[in-house]
Amino acid sequence: MTTRTRTRSLTAGDTALAGFTERLFGHLPRADQRRWARVYLQGLLTTPGKKSVRRLAASVTESPTASQSLQQFINASPWDWNPARTELLRWVEERHPVRAWTIGQVCFPKRGEHSVGVHRRFDPVAGRIVNCQLGFCLFLSLDGMSVPVDWRLALPEAWVADPVLRRRARISPEAVHQTPEALVLELVDSIAARTSSARPPVVADFSRLGGAAALIGVLGRRGHDFLVSVPPTLAVRTAALNHGVDPARTPGRGETTAGDFARLGNTSHPYTTPLAGPAVRPQRQRIHSALVGLPDGDPAGRGTQQIYRLFGERRPGRRGGGPVWLTNMNRHRMDDLLHLVRLSARSTAVLGSLADEFGLLDFEGRSFPGWHHHMTLMSAAYAYAYAVPGRAREREREERGRRSA
């Protein structure tokens, strides 16, 4: 028997949430599933603090059984999250021009060994080995905001090889162990197959990926423009766009590392905005760039090597380098490339907002479908809060009001 649940009224200006929910989750076969999708979204949008299922239910409905029903909907109900993500993608594209597909990486700290995909790995942000899940997110980077629309969860080999673990976490038969590089490529391939817009550049941080060179080659062969942060140790060699440039006049002749080459680059650009992180006050610096090839990369064809632009920053009085970026958009102006770099930084900031305001790290279930259900609904809540014209300012006022209360 289906229990009818009376939800509290939507706040003024939020009555469009029902239509938004119907568009994204109208594919769900039962009316109660669609109703619980709206309850979960409304809870994510209005519940302060930790977004546990119990707190979400209590903030939206007075039903004493709502928490149990909502838990069932998220963790056990066998609904497909892919149609909702496709509709979210199209909903955002209809309202905003997309400037880039930006990929972010998230470490989800976990206690115990039962959460799907949990394992121990080094977290560079924490600076230590942690017990965690590892996820990847694809953002639509827009003018002034970035919106998450698709997710992948890394499954270590132990999780996909053990039938007991697979059954306990309800891991689908088609889910297999994939490297981080393969998960990134799967995100790009998935959105390329579903988008109704022209494909924008792919922007991503590959600086901690051992297979960065191979992934760069695949992106190029599939026709993507891209701008990626690469490991400073990545091997590169000098190159030129035309025969009029003498390779002997470029620094680091022959093979060297990306970090060294970026600091020596044969072209210098003065800027006052850093490539990474906010500046306390504007500091004059130089972006060094050079044309390079990848010794282990795939040839561009006809016996020629693919040529990339490599660049990084060098500030006066500071040793060492920051991020090193590589792009196949060789003829773009440096201003345009730096704008894409800032889109990557913005997506990283959005991950912080998702954790603080939308429950990114608060999923309490252990199942593979449950993780994807939560990420889908959380992404939809963020899009509704910030991608609707006028809602971003309203949301900021609401948050300031909560903090001052």
Side-chain angles (χ1 to χ4, degrees), residues 205-252:
D205 180 2
F206 291 174
S207 63
R208 299 192 295 273
L209 299 185
L215 182 52
I216 287 167
V218 174
L219 287 176
R221 289 197 303 275
R222 297 190 181 179
H224 294 285
D225 285 343
F226 59 81
L227 174 67
V228 297
S229 177
V230 298
T233 55
L234 181 72
V236 298
R237 60 168 47 133
T238 58
L241 282 175
N242 56 64
H243 297 295
V245 177
D246 181 6
R249 297 185 61 185
T250 61

Side-chain angles (χ1 to χ4, degrees), residues 286-304:
R286 288 193 175 274
I287 306 299
H288 284 203
S289 70
L291 299 176
V292 302
L294 300 182
D296 298 328
D298 294 319
R302 299 181 300 279
T304 62

Side-chain angles (χ1 to χ4, degrees), residues 11-58:
T11 59
D14 274 355
T15 53
L17 182 61
F20 177 76
T21 306
E22 182 62 29
R23 170 156 182 185
L24 267 62
F25 299 96
H27 70 284
L28 299 182
R30 300 199 312 270
D32 64 306
Q33 290 177 313
R34 299 191 291 275
R35 185 171 61 255
W36 288 120
R38 185 178 73 80
V39 169
Y40 204 87
L41 281 175
Q42 189 177 347
L44 289 172
L45 289 164
T46 59
T47 306
K50 185 176 176 63
K51 306 297 190 293
S52 67
V53 169
R54 184 179 298 275
R55 287 174 56 83
L56 295 180

